[in-house]
PDB file of all heavy atoms in Angstrom:
ATOM      1  N   VAL A 334     -93.741 149.159  47.595  1.00 90.00           N
ATOM      2  CA  VAL A 334     -94.115 147.993  46.794  1.00 90.00           C
ATOM      3  C   VAL A 334     -93.174 146.813  46.998  1.00 90.00           C
ATOM      4  O   VAL A 334     -93.515 145.678  46.683  1.00 90.00           O
ATOM      5  CB  VAL A 334     -94.174 148.346  45.295  1.00 90.00           C
ATOM      6  CG1 VAL A 334     -95.299 149.319  45.019  1.00 90.00           C
ATOM      7  CG2 VAL A 334     -92.849 148.903  44.814  1.00 90.00           C
ATOM      8  N   PHE A 335     -91.974 147.057  47.517  1.00 94.00           N
ATOM      9  CA  PHE A 335     -91.008 145.985  47.726  1.00 94.00           C
ATOM     10  C   PHE A 335     -91.021 145.471  49.162  1.00 94.00           C
ATOM     11  O   PHE A 335     -90.034 144.932  49.652  1.00 94.00           O
ATOM     12  CB  PHE A 335     -89.598 146.459  47.365  1.00 94.00           C
ATOM     13  CG  PHE A 335     -89.442 146.847  45.919  1.00 94.00           C
ATOM     14  CD1 PHE A 335     -89.020 148.118  45.582  1.00 94.00           C
ATOM     15  CD2 PHE A 335     -89.725 145.953  44.905  1.00 94.00           C
ATOM     16  CE1 PHE A 335     -88.869 148.493  44.256  1.00 94.00           C
ATOM     17  CE2 PHE A 335     -89.585 146.317  43.575  1.00 94.00           C
ATOM     18  CZ  PHE A 335     -89.157 147.585  43.256  1.00 94.00           C
ATOM     19  N   ALA A 336     -92.151 145.615  49.843  1.00 92.00           N
ATOM     20  CA  ALA A 336     -92.237 145.211  51.243  1.00 92.00           C
ATOM     21  C   ALA A 336     -92.251 143.696  51.407  1.00 92.00           C
ATOM     22  O   ALA A 336     -91.636 143.162  52.325  1.00 92.00           O
ATOM     23  CB  ALA A 336     -93.484 145.819  51.892  1.00 92.00           C
ATOM     24  N   GLU A 337     -92.942 142.994  50.516  1.00 89.00           N
ATOM     25  CA  GLU A 337     -93.116 141.554  50.690  1.00 89.00           C
ATOM     26  C   GLU A 337     -92.734 140.785  49.430  1.00 89.00           C
ATOM     27  O   GLU A 337     -93.294 141.015  48.363  1.00 89.00           O
ATOM     28  CB  GLU A 337     -94.572 141.233  51.044  1.00 89.00           C
ATOM     29  CG  GLU A 337     -95.033 141.808  52.370  1.00 89.00           C
ATOM     30  CD  GLU A 337     -94.349 141.146  53.562  1.00 89.00           C
ATOM     31  OE1 GLU A 337     -93.862 140.011  53.407  1.00 89.00           O
ATOM     32  OE2 GLU A 337     -94.307 141.783  54.628  1.00 89.00           O
ATOM     33  N   SER A 338     -91.806 139.853  49.564  1.00 88.00           N
ATOM     34  CA  SER A 338     -91.373 139.057  48.409  1.00 88.00           C
ATOM     35  C   SER A 338     -92.423 138.036  48.001  1.00 88.00           C
ATOM     36  O   SER A 338     -92.401 137.529  46.879  1.00 88.00           O
ATOM     37  CB  SER A 338     -90.056 138.350  48.723  1.00 88.00           C
ATOM     38  OG  SER A 338     -90.225 137.424  49.789  1.00 88.00           O
ATOM     39  N   ASN A 339     -93.342 137.713  48.908  1.00 87.00           N
ATOM     40  CA  ASN A 339     -94.370 136.717  48.601  1.00 87.00           C
ATOM     41  C   ASN A 339     -95.511 137.289  47.776  1.00 87.00           C
ATOM     42  O   ASN A 339     -96.285 136.537  47.181  1.00 87.00           O
ATOM     43  CB  ASN A 339     -94.955 136.132  49.889  1.00 87.00           C
ATOM     44  CG  ASN A 339     -93.948 135.326  50.680  1.00 87.00           C
ATOM     45  OD1 ASN A 339     -92.895 134.970  50.168  1.00 87.00           O
ATOM     46  ND2 ASN A 339     -94.263 135.050  51.926  1.00 87.00           N
ATOM     47  N   THR A 340     -95.653 138.603  47.768  1.00 90.00           N
ATOM     48  CA  THR A 340     -96.794 139.222  47.094  1.00 90.00           C
ATOM     49  C   THR A 340     -96.399 140.151  45.959  1.00 90.00           C
ATOM     50  O   THR A 340     -97.232 140.474  45.110  1.00 90.00           O
ATOM     51  CB  THR A 340     -97.651 140.007  48.100  1.00 90.00           C
ATOM     52  OG1 THR A 340     -96.851 141.002  48.748  1.00 90.00           O
ATOM     53  CG2 THR A 340     -98.225 139.073  49.160  1.00 90.00           C
ATOM     54  N   LYS A 341     -95.145 140.621  45.915  1.00 95.00           N
ATOM     55  CA  LYS A 341     -94.709 141.504  44.828  1.00 95.00           C
ATOM     56  C   LYS A 341     -94.317 140.640  43.643  1.00 95.00           C
ATOM     57  O   LYS A 341     -93.307 139.929  43.666  1.00 95.00           O
ATOM     58  CB  LYS A 341     -93.518 142.375  45.255  1.00 95.00           C
ATOM     59  CG  LYS A 341     -92.896 143.198  44.112  1.00 95.00           C
ATOM     60  CD  LYS A 341     -93.895 144.212  43.572  1.00 95.00           C
ATOM     61  CE  LYS A 341     -93.311 144.974  42.403  1.00 95.00           C
ATOM     62  NZ  LYS A 341     -93.261 144.164  41.162  1.00 95.00           N
ATOM     63  N   ASP A 342     -95.129 140.686  42.588  1.00 97.00           N
ATOM     64  CA  ASP A 342     -94.870 139.856  41.414  1.00 97.00           C
ATOM     65  C   ASP A 342     -93.571 140.260  40.716  1.00 97.00           C
ATOM     66  O   ASP A 342     -93.099 141.396  40.844  1.00 97.00           O
ATOM     67  CB  ASP A 342     -96.047 139.946  40.448  1.00 97.00           C
ATOM     68  CG  ASP A 342     -97.323 139.365  41.024  1.00 97.00           C
ATOM     69  OD1 ASP A 342     -97.230 138.564  41.970  1.00 97.00           O
ATOM     70  OD2 ASP A 342     -98.411 139.723  40.538  1.00 97.00           O
ATOM     71  N   ILE A 343     -93.015 139.341  39.972  1.00 97.00           N
ATOM     72  CA  ILE A 343     -91.715 139.531  39.325  1.00 97.00           C
ATOM     73  C   ILE A 343     -91.900 140.125  37.934  1.00 97.00           C
ATOM     74  O   ILE A 343     -92.644 139.578  37.110  1.00 97.00           O
ATOM     75  CB  ILE A 343     -90.965 138.187  39.221  1.00 97.00           C
ATOM     76  CG1 ILE A 343     -90.762 137.583  40.624  1.00 97.00           C
ATOM     77  CG2 ILE A 343     -89.631 138.362  38.507  1.00 97.00           C
ATOM     78  CD1 ILE A 343     -90.290 136.136  40.595  1.00 97.00           C
ATOM     79  N   GLU A 344     -91.229 141.235  37.652  1.00 98.00           N
ATOM     80  CA  GLU A 344     -91.313 141.860  36.331  1.00 98.00           C
ATOM     81  C   GLU A 344     -90.631 140.970  35.288  1.00 98.00           C
ATOM     82  O   GLU A 344     -89.481 140.581  35.448  1.00 98.00           O
ATOM     83  CB  GLU A 344     -90.651 143.235  36.339  1.00 98.00           C
ATOM     84  CG  GLU A 344     -91.387 144.307  37.121  1.00 98.00           C
ATOM     85  CD  GLU A 344     -91.143 144.262  38.625  1.00 98.00           C
ATOM     86  OE1 GLU A 344     -90.314 143.418  39.064  1.00 98.00           O
ATOM     87  OE2 GLU A 344     -91.768 145.044  39.355  1.00 98.00           O
ATOM     88  N   VAL A 345     -91.345 140.684  34.217  1.00 98.00           N
ATOM     89  CA  VAL A 345     -90.805 139.889  33.115  1.00 98.00           C
ATOM     90  C   VAL A 345     -90.617 140.774  31.881  1.00 98.00           C
ATOM     91  O   VAL A 345     -89.520 140.891  31.342  1.00 98.00           O
ATOM     92  CB  VAL A 345     -91.723 138.694  32.783  1.00 98.00           C
ATOM     93  CG1 VAL A 345     -91.134 137.867  31.632  1.00 98.00           C
ATOM     94  CG2 VAL A 345     -91.936 137.820  34.009  1.00 98.00           C
TER      95      VAL A 345
END
Side-chain angles (χ1 to χ4, degrees):
V334 294
F335 298 122
E337 296 292 338
S338 63
N339 294 345
T340 58
K341 173 64 183 75
D342 295 339
I343 301 168
E344 290 81 4
V345 180

